[in-house]
Amino acid sequence: MHSVPDGRRTGPTRRAVFRTIAGVAAAGAAGGYAWERFGSDSGGGSADANSGASARSEGAHTFERLSSPARTVVRASDGGTLATFTDGARTAVLTGPSRTFSEPRTTEATVTTDAWVRVLPHTWRRGAEKSAWFTGWFRKALGDTSPDVFAVAFQYSSAGAPAKHNADGVRYAGTAHFGPRNSEVDNPLDFAYHDEQSDFYDYLGTAWTFPDGTRAQPEKARYGDVDCSGFQRLVWGYRMGIPLHNTNTRGAGLPRRAFAIAAYGPGRVVIPHTGREQATDLGVLQPGDLVFFAIIKDRPDFIDHCGIYMGLDDQGRHRFYSSRSAANGPTLGDLSGRSLLDGTDFYARGFRAARRL
């Protein structure tokens, strides 16, 4: 169900790629967020999940080159799309079992998708399918139902997500909030009701040393908090392994703020930031793309918010997931502006650019 412009219809042929897996389980507390998924989000999986993870199409794969952006599409023997790899990016989108993401606390909308977003060990280049690393990686990734980027992102849902701790006792996942309460703002739907400036290490509550030797200390008052760009750094950097640096300039990996990620982040731009106009070329997007917004009233050309594009919701609208003040953390919901890229709602009007990491 994910939309990747590739020149062919995949239709029901994906059923020849992955067997139907029984036993859909709901994640999260009642009334909170829900991730209806196949198997276990711990990566171990149930018996059904394991059987589904090993299912692969029969016959040879074919690799097709497409443009705008330059990319390689992998097809099954029946012509169905198995995966898409974009030149200059590490983001890979693979076709897998369908999942539904929802957040009843903040929206009636749901997103059902068969897109599984993963991070390649190397930046994709034309002909990379002939590389030594690719065959083993692809064989494993094709049927992998362990948490991908979407599943990891929802492990921080503001609507409720169970805490997870590592061997050192650090809570690395669980309900996240946007930031401390701003006592100077009374309206809970105001964008400044919760203070921004919380990075991934604030959420973790641990000091962090960046590759350049810079050491950042968390603020105690921000424990468990991440603002919009801090959330992207938590998911893509801390969890998925894309390098991080602690400036808003060019560097190796993800910089700190939304405008800097849009301008200087890794990967490739798929929708360029051209100024004050709403970006409308939505057909180029694929699930997992970072989307960027100008949300400051007096600065319609300044990027100050970012999120993860999820694809089409149940109403056929282009929906994204981001950490926001009104929901007090990561949300796909509609408090103080619907999480949509198309139309005339607040965030849609502010949509400016997209990048594929």
Side-chain angles (χ1 to χ4, degrees), residues 10-279:
T10 56
T13 57
R14 287 188 289 267
R15 294 178 183 176
V17 180
F18 292 93
R19 294 201 302 270
T20 301
I21 308 171
V24 177
Y33 85 109
W35 166 32
E36 294 180 348
R37 66 198 187 280
F38 296 84
S40 167
D41 68 355
S42 66
S46 65
D48 286 335
N50 286 335
S51 65
S54 64
R56 294 193 301 275
S57 65
E58 299 298 328
H61 305 142
T62 59
F63 297 86
E64 180 181 0
R65 287 293 295 176
L66 297 173
S67 59
S68 300
R71 63 200 188 277
T72 300
V73 174
V74 187
R75 304 211 182 267
S77 57
D78 59 8
T81 300
L82 293 179
T84 302
F85 306 102
T86 302
D87 292 8
R90 289 180 60 187
T91 301
V93 178
L94 296 98
T95 301
S98 181
R99 302 169 291 173
T100 295
F101 296 90
S102 64
E103 191 181 310
R105 181 177 72 100
T106 60
T107 183
E108 295 180 355
T110 62
V111 175
T112 299
T113 180
D114 60 5
W116 290 67
V117 182
R118 303 209 176 269
V119 175
L120 291 164
H122 305 284
T123 300
W124 187 260
R125 303 287 184 229
R126 180 171 186 168
E129 67 272 15
K130 301 175 184 177
S131 301
W133 62 267
F134 178 76
T135 301
W137 182 91
F138 190 53
R139 183 182 300 113
K140 179 180 178 182
L142 258 184
D144 187 5
T145 55
S146 65
D148 68 332
V149 170
F150 283 170
V152 167
F154 270 74
Q155 290 178 2
Y156 302 95
S157 172
S158 60
K164 298 176 183 292
H165 297 82
N166 65 20
D168 296 323
V170 174
R171 188 187 69 157
Y172 68 88
T175 305
H177 297 301
F178 186 82
R181 170 79 170 83
N182 185 348
S183 61
E184 297 180 0
V185 178
D186 296 326
N187 182 358
L189 296 182
D190 191 292
F191 297 121
Y193 188 73
H194 294 98
D195 189 34
E196 58 181 359
Q197 301 182 30
S198 298
D199 205 353
F200 73 97
Y201 52 80
D202 292 304
Y203 174 87
L204 298 170
T206 60
W208 191 265
T209 302
F210 292 90
D212 65 358
T214 303
R215 188 167 177 80
Q217 295 289 342
E219 293 185 33
K220 186 175 181 180
R222 296 179 182 276
Y223 176 66
D225 297 343
V226 277
D227 63 16
C228 67
S229 53
F231 178 53
Q232 302 306 325
R233 283 155 65 86
L234 181 63
V235 172
W236 293 94
Y238 177 74
R239 292 295 301 278
M240 307 307 293
I242 288 180
L244 299 165
H245 64 94
N246 207 31
T247 75
N248 292 312
T249 59
R250 296 185 186 277
L254 286 173
R256 172 61 182 98
R257 292 187 57 186
F259 77 87
I261 297 173
Y264 310 125
R268 66 175 298 158
V269 171
V270 290
I271 298 178
H273 179 209
T274 59
R276 302 184 175 199
E277 298 300 318
Q278 177 180 347

